[in-house]
Amino acid sequence: MWLERYSLVLFLFVTTCIYSQSGLETFLKPSDTLNKARRNTVVISEVALSSAALIGLNELWYADFERSKFQTINDNAEWLQMDKVGHVFTAYQLGKHGANLLNWGGVRKKDQLIYGATLGFGFLTAVEVLDGYSNEWGFSWGDVGANALGTGLYVSQELLWNEQRIDVKFSFQQTNYASQRPDKLGKSFFEQVLKDYNGQTYWLSFNLHSFFKDSKIPKWLNVALGYSGEGMLTGIEVADNQLLTTNQRYRQYFLSLDVNLTKIRTNSALLRSIFSIFNMIKIPFPSLEINKNGAVFHLFH
């Protein structure tokens, strides 16, 4: 009797798991035709989340700083342009996933690009307007240009190739600069990921097989070109010198391999969704760094 009960419970458990997984797979699979319920869910969710994020920023972040009349600033010379490259990355990723969500709802390609891919540009421009009314910052046309570049990089590839052959990716490693200026570069690990430009690297990751369709190159293999900066405690070098630091700030360029997770073959819609999200992260590989001091080989970047 115990064995029969155990077998029955095990059977029901396995059946439930299979059914749940099957239901999740069906849910995650993009619709072949317009699914109005999914489309409406995506649109309402994006509007609600974007509005909540902007209201939260206005009340929780900007409220701590003095407000001012709308002002613009020219910060294009700061942080070795790492902040601008960060805007390109963010706009690209928000646009990419905005379009993918509409694709899940069966929305036609043209509308994906018009209403989905521009999600990042619209949201980041709204944040820029909030900056414009803060005495601490200001509206930066350089940031807006970087946002447009990130959005344009996604849209242009879809129009030209109907696929993303070049991905914008991100990687991070902790540095000792954050401990010297924790107020600017972050105290905790997660703050440093966002604030310490010395530890950030942004990559253009090229999928080789997409450019050479008839080759035997693995579809998942990418070559990545990276950009970063070193020796920055503040936005501009003059301010660093006022801190009596001996750090030398300089640009870094990297060459490395990468993996395109979305090209890994799988029949699982769940795995495809997970791969699509984590594909924004550059997979660690050996890399060659070139800077003003010469060339450096990194065994694990």
Side-chain angles (χ1 to χ4, degrees), residues 49-230:
L49 290 174
S50 299
S51 300
L54 291 173
I55 293 173
L57 280 172
N58 188 56
E59 296 299 324
L60 299 177
W61 178 262
Y62 291 98
D64 294 334
F65 301 94
E66 184 180 350
R67 302 298 176 98
S68 68
K69 293 181 179 180
F70 187 81
Q71 60 180 353
T72 62
I73 60 170
N74 183 351
D75 59 351
N76 295 333
E78 296 186 6
W79 298 110
L80 296 177
Q81 293 76 50
M82 281 294 294
D83 58 325
K84 300 297 179 284
V85 183
H87 275 267
V88 173
F89 166 80
T90 305
Y92 174 87
Q93 291 296 340
L94 286 176
K96 178 180 180 180
H97 292 294
N100 286 343
L101 284 172
L102 289 180
N103 180 60
W104 172 74
V107 175
R108 62 178 182 169
K109 190 73 171 185
K110 178 181 178 181
D111 290 337
Q112 290 177 33
L113 297 181
I114 294 175
Y115 302 109
T118 56
L119 173 67
F121 180 79
F123 177 77
L124 293 174
T125 299
V127 174
E128 204 63 43
V129 171
L130 293 178
D131 278 351
Y133 286 102
S134 173
N135 193 51
E136 184 79 7
W137 297 282
F139 183 94
S140 169
W141 284 108
D143 288 352
V144 174
N147 298 338
L149 181 58
T151 300
L153 183 59
Y154 176 81
V155 173
S156 61
Q157 291 189 77
E158 290 297 317
L159 293 175
L160 183 61
W161 297 315
N162 199 34
E163 63 178 346
Q164 294 298 296
R165 297 185 180 184
I166 308 171
D167 281 306
V168 186
K169 297 194 176 188
F170 173 83
S171 63
F172 177 80
Q173 56 187 9
Q174 284 185 294
T175 72
N176 60 0
Y177 298 105
S179 61
Q180 299 178 49
R181 289 297 306 276
D183 57 321
K184 280 286 186 182
L185 305 181
K187 298 178 182 178
S188 67
F189 174 79
F190 292 105
E191 282 188 350
Q192 292 167 19
V193 171
L194 297 174
K195 295 181 177 182
D196 187 1
Y197 292 119
N198 302 282
Q200 298 176 1
T201 306
Y202 294 97
W203 304 83
L204 288 178
S205 187
F206 298 78
N207 183 249
L208 296 177
H209 188 272
S210 296
F211 287 99
F212 306 99
K213 297 288 188 179
D214 297 328
S215 70
K216 296 183 179 180
I217 299 173
K219 293 184 178 180
W220 48 264
L221 182 62
N222 281 24
V223 169
L225 302 178
Y227 175 71
S228 185
E230 182 84 4

Side-chain angles (χ1 to χ4, degrees), residues 272-284:
R272 285 196 297 270
S273 298
I274 294 174
F275 288 160
S276 178
I277 294 172
F278 282 94
N279 199 50
M280 71 177 65
I281 304 299
K282 162 74 169 62
I283 302 298

Side-chain angles (χ1 to χ4, degrees), residues 16-28:
T16 301
C17 289
I18 294 175
Y19 177 78
S20 299
Q21 184 175 1
S22 176
L24 181 60
E25 289 288 317
T26 302
F27 174 77
L28 292 175

Side-chain angles (χ1 to χ4, degrees), residues 280-301:
M280 71 177 65
I281 304 299
K282 162 74 169 62
I283 302 298
F285 268 101
S287 69
L288 177 66
E289 174 189 343
I290 299 175
N291 58 55
K292 69 176 184 178
N293 299 317
V296 182
F297 178 76
H298 300 275
L299 184 61
F300 191 74
H301 190 149

